[in-house]
Amino acid sequence: MDLHTKTMTELSAGLDSGEYTSVELTQTLLDRIAAHNDTLNALLTVTGEQALAAAARADADRAAGKAGALNGLPIIHKDIFCTRGVRTTCGSKMLDNFISPYDATIVERLADAGAVVLGKANMDEFAMGSSNETSYFGPVNNPWDLERSPGGSSGGSAAAVAARFAPGATATDTGGSIRQPAALTGTVGIKPTYGRVSRYGMIAFASSLDQAGVITRSAEDAARLLGVMAGFDERDSTCIDKPAPDYAAALGESIKGLKIGIVRQHFDEGLDADCGARVKDAIAVIESLGATAIEVDMPNIDYSVPTYYVVAPAECSSNLSRFDGVRFGHRAENAEDLFDLYCRSRGEGFGDEVKRRIMTGTYVLSAGYYDAYYLKAQQVRHLIADDFKKAFEEVDVIAGPTAPTTAFKLGDMVDDPITMYLNDIYTIGANLGGFPAMSVPCGFVNDLPVGLHLVGHHFDESALLRCAHAYQQATDWHTACPEVFK
Amino acid sequence: MSLDKDQVQQIATLARLKLGEDEYAESVEKLSKIVDFVAHLSEADTSGVIPMAHPLDIAQRLRPDVVTEPNDRDRYQENAASVSDGLYLVPKVIE
C-alpha cells in the first residue's frame, strides 16, 4: 500500500472504510521519515511516541463514532508554532532548548479535529529568509534536487510534503514564506487573509504581515486543513471576528465567468522566460475552464520589495526585543552586568540574517530616519494596497508567477541579501495588503517545479481554492513526485 | 557605503546586539546595500497619502479589562536560565 502517496481526502476514505488504521498509517510515515529525513533535514523534531498515541486515540474515537474532521490524518507543524511539552526552536539557537509551556491555537484546533502530529519542520531562523539557509540547524534540501534550496522560510514544511513525509503541514507567510517554498517544491501553499487564522502561539516576526496557512499536495486538502484552522480566536487581538466559510464545500463550484487579472509587471524581464511560459500555459487552462483573463494595471507594485524591507524589519526589531536572555531562550555565560547580558545573549543567540533585520529595523525607526523610511514605507504600502483594491473592482483573482525562477542552488544567493530578497517580488504585495494568496504547481522547467500564484480579495480564500481545484481537476502537475521519494 | 562603522556600532547598541569585530565589516557592507535599496521609496509620490498601519485598514479590537490568564508561573519559569523563589535572576543592577 502506497499510503505516503495519498492525499488527506484519499486517506480519510481509507480510514473510513477500515482499509487501514491511523496507527498503521502513522507508523508507515514515521518509518519514511526515519529513512529519509537525514537526506532532507526537513524535520527538526520527530514526535513519534506522541504521534502513535494520538493515532491510537483517533482510531478509538473513530470506532466510537466520534471522528473529527481530520481524524487520524498525519500532519507536520512548522517549528514556529508552540507545541506544549515539545521543543519549539523557530530555527534559532536562541530557542534551541525552548520547551513550549502551551499550545498555539491552531495546534489545539488541529489536534481537536483528530490530526496526528509527526514532528516539527525546519525553517529559516525566525522565518527570516527565502532559502532555509538561515536556519541554525542547517538548510533543508529540495526533494527535487538535493543540491537546491526548497525555498523559505517554510522550506521544511514544503520539503516534507513534497517528499511524502505527510500529506499536509502548517506554515507561515510574512512575505511569501508559504508560497515561494510551495512553488519551489511542487506543492500547494495557501496564505489566507490577514487575521483569518489565529496567531496565538505562533512566534511573531512582523505582526502587520504574518499569517498562518498550510502546505499540501492538493487544493482540496488545503481547504480541509484551513477549514479547521480558520476562524475567530479571542486570544489573538488581530484575529478577525468573522466566521470562516466551509472551504471544502465551495470547491465543486464551477469557475465559469471567474475574472482573472494579469499584472503586466509580473511578466517583466525579472521573470525566467521558461517559468513565465508555464504560468501562461496554466492561465490558458484556467481560461479554457470558463474564466476570462483581463490585464490589470498596478502602477506601484514595483515598490513592494523595498516597502517590505522597511516595514518587516521595523516590526521584527520590536518583536524580537523579547529575547533578552532572562525569561526564556539563550543566555550568555558570565555576563558582567545586565546590559552585557542582553547584548551577548542576543549576539550569540541570533544568526546573521536575523541580526541584519533587527539592525535594519532599528535604523529605520531611529530618530532622524523614521519619517524618511518607516513613515514613507507605510504610505507606499497604502498605494500598493489600493492598487490591489482597484484591481479587485474588476477581477476576482489575480494570477501570475509565484517566484522569478525555479529552485536555486544552495549557497548561490547567501552573499547578496538583495538578490535573496527579490525572490519574493511577486508574493510580498499580498502581505502588504493583507490579501489571501496561494501557489499551485503548474509544470516543470528542467525537471524543477514551477508555481502559479493566485491572489484574491480580502476574505475570499474560496475563490482561490475553487480556481486551484478546478485547475487540478484538469491537470496533474500536483501529483508528480520526486524520483527518490516515490 | 551609506553607513559607516560608527553608525553600525550605534545601531547595534540600540538593538542590544553585541557584534564580533569580524562581523562589523560585513554588517557595514550589507546594511548599506539594504539601506540603498529601500531608499528607492523616496521616488514614490506619497503626498497626501495616509500611512497604513493595519493591512485591513481597521482598528485593533479591544477586550474587557479583566484578568483571564491563570497563574502558571512555575511552568513558565522552567524555560528560564536562572530563577529563585519565583523570581528571575539577572546580574546585579544596584551596587
Side-chain angles (χ1 to χ4, degrees):
Chain A
M1 258 189 304
D2 295 330
L3 293 184
H4 63 280
T5 63
K6 295 186 189 301
T7 63
M8 296 186 129
T9 309
E10 290 163 350
L11 290 170
S12 249
L15 290 167
D16 276 344
S17 68
E19 215 181 309
Y20 39 84
T21 63
S22 176
V23 169
E24 286 163 354
L25 169 61
T26 302
Q27 190 59 58
T28 304
L29 295 179
L30 286 172
D31 291 346
R32 246 183 107 66
I33 291 168
H36 293 293
N37 193 44
D38 283 351
T39 315
L40 289 181
N41 198 26
L43 299 192
L44 297 176
T45 305
V46 179
T47 50
E49 258 176 59
Q50 292 103 311
L52 288 168
R57 278 198 303 277
D59 286 334
D61 282 351
R62 184 177 289 277
K66 293 188 294 183
L70 301 174
N71 177 279
L73 297 175
I75 58 162
I76 286 162
H77 283 306
K78 183 176 182 179
D79 209 15
I80 197 169
F81 291 106
C82 285
T83 40
R84 186 168 177 165
V86 175
R87 188 169 83 127
T88 300
T89 69
C90 220
S92 182
K93 178 183 178 186
M94 184 59 90
L95 293 175
D96 191 10
N97 295 318
F98 180 71
I99 308 290
S100 175
Y102 69 104
D103 273 333
T105 295
I106 65 134
V107 168
E108 220 170 70
R109 285 189 184 171
L110 290 166
D112 288 348
V116 171
V117 180
L118 302 177
K120 310 278 306 272
N122 200 349
M123 55 181 284
D124 276 301
E125 184 179 9
F126 285 104
M128 296 176 201
S130 307
S131 70
N132 227 289
E133 288 163 292
T134 74
S135 169
Y136 172 65
F137 306 97
V140 175
N141 302 317
N142 191 320
W144 291 95
D145 177 346
L146 299 174
E147 288 177 11
R148 289 175 193 271
S149 163
S153 66
S154 309
S157 299
V161 172
R164 276 65 179 167
F165 285 5
T170 56
T172 62
D173 192 311
T174 306
S177 280
I178 290 176
R179 295 159 285 155
Q180 182 253 15
L184 270 43
T185 58
T187 52
V188 170
I190 182 164
K191 173 202 94 74
T193 309
Y194 180 82
R196 182 58 111 180
V197 173
S198 168
R199 304 187 303 190
Y200 178 79
M202 173 177 134
I203 297 168
F205 160 15
S207 301
S208 79
L209 301 160
D210 295 342
Q211 180 57 203
V214 296
I215 293 178
T216 56
R217 290 194 296 269
S218 72
E220 199 176 10
D221 281 3
R224 287 177 77 108
L225 270 182
L226 198 60
V228 171
M229 289 160 61
F232 182 61
D233 176 20
E234 187 78 46
R235 295 180 292 186
D236 171 4
S237 66
T238 61
C239 197
I240 305 296
D241 192 358
K242 211 176 167 87
D246 185 344
Y247 294 121
L251 287 178
E253 290 170 31
S254 151
I255 60 163
K256 265 203 179 63
L258 196 78
K259 293 200 189 83
I260 309 285
I262 312 294
V263 183
R264 183 187 48 77
Q265 290 96 325
H266 284 171
F267 292 89
D268 279 353
E269 70 273 16
L271 175 66
D272 173 83
D274 291 330
C275 290
R278 297 301 170 276
V279 170
K280 282 184 177 154
D281 290 348
I283 293 169
V285 170
I286 294 171
E287 280 187 274
S288 76
L289 299 172
T292 321
I294 305 163
E295 191 157 316
V296 291
D297 189 35
M298 301 189 98
N300 298 292
I301 197 75
D302 288 341
Y303 291 119
S304 299
V305 184
T307 301
Y308 177 86
Y309 279 98
V310 172
V311 173
E315 295 181 11
C316 117
S317 74
S318 165
N319 271 325
L320 271 63
S321 63
R322 74 191 50 166
F323 298 100
D324 56 4
V326 176
R327 293 154 303 152
F328 46 78
H330 175 77
R331 181 181 179 121
E333 305 265 338
N334 307 318
E336 287 168 24
D337 52 27
L338 192 55
F339 185 76
D340 186 49
L341 176 75
Y342 291 154
C343 295
R344 284 209 289 122
S345 297
R346 292 163 61 79
E348 293 166 11
F350 292 136
D352 291 342
E353 181 63 23
V354 172
K355 286 185 207 170
R356 204 143 47 227
R357 296 208 194 182
I358 291 175
M359 288 196 285
T360 306
T362 305
Y363 178 70
V364 300
L365 289 174
S366 61
Y369 299 100
Y370 180 89
D371 285 3
Y373 291 104
Y374 186 65
L375 209 63
K376 182 77 180 181
Q378 280 191 309
Q379 286 175 309
V380 180
R381 182 175 184 180
H382 224 155
L383 294 175
I384 296 166
D386 286 347
D387 279 0
F388 274 95
K389 279 187 196 154
K390 208 163 142 248
F392 287 125
E393 286 171 11
E394 287 181 68
V395 301
D396 303 297
V397 169
I398 293 170
T402 307
T405 63
T406 54
F408 44 90
K409 288 232 161 106
L410 289 162
D412 262 8
M413 294 192 193
V414 281
D415 288 330
D416 185 4
I418 305 299
T419 317
M420 187 69 90
Y421 293 176
L422 288 171
N423 254 288
D424 295 329
I425 189 162
Y426 308 124
T427 50
I428 276 175
N431 300 82
L432 292 172
F435 299 98
M438 86 188 276
S439 181
V440 187
C442 70
F444 290 83
V445 171
N446 298 329
D447 298 327
L448 294 169
V450 178
L452 167 73
H453 190 225
L454 303 172
V455 187
H457 207 343
H458 290 147
F459 302 108
D460 200 7
E461 292 84 14
S462 294
L464 305 180
L465 289 163
R466 212 168 78 215
C467 187
H469 182 65
Y471 177 72
Q472 293 190 327
Q473 298 303 104
T475 58
D476 60 2
W477 303 116
H478 62 294
T479 62
C481 179
E483 200 54 44
V484 194
F485 299 95
K486 272 186 175 155
Chain B
M1 294 286 160
S2 44
L3 296 177
D4 58 30
K5 192 183 168 188
D6 286 348
Q7 277 174 299
V8 171
Q9 216 144 22
Q10 167 67 5
I11 297 167
T13 305
L14 286 172
R16 301 293 184 265
L17 285 171
K18 180 153 178 115
L19 300 185
E21 265 313 306
D22 53 321
E23 285 178 279
Y24 272 107
E26 203 196 334
S27 295
V28 170
E29 188 213 320
K30 290 190 173 169
L31 285 175
S32 291
K33 270 192 189 168
I34 295 168
V35 168
D36 291 344
F37 175 69
V38 301
H40 286 300
L41 289 177
S42 65
E43 295 156 17
D45 179 6
T46 52
S47 43
V49 179
I50 299 164
M52 190 175 191
H54 190 290
L56 303 179
D57 266 335
I58 54 174
Q60 197 91 324
R61 177 172 52 83
L62 299 176
R63 63 168 176 80
D65 186 16
V66 290
V67 177
T68 53
E69 291 292 313
N71 181 3
D72 262 337
R73 186 179 65 189
D74 293 346
R75 195 149 57 83
Y76 295 146
Q77 288 197 330
E78 284 171 17
N79 276 297
S82 181
V83 293
S84 172
D85 301 327
L87 303 171
Y88 294 93
L89 299 188
V90 295
K92 198 152 83 172
V93 238
I94 303 164
E95 291 301 327

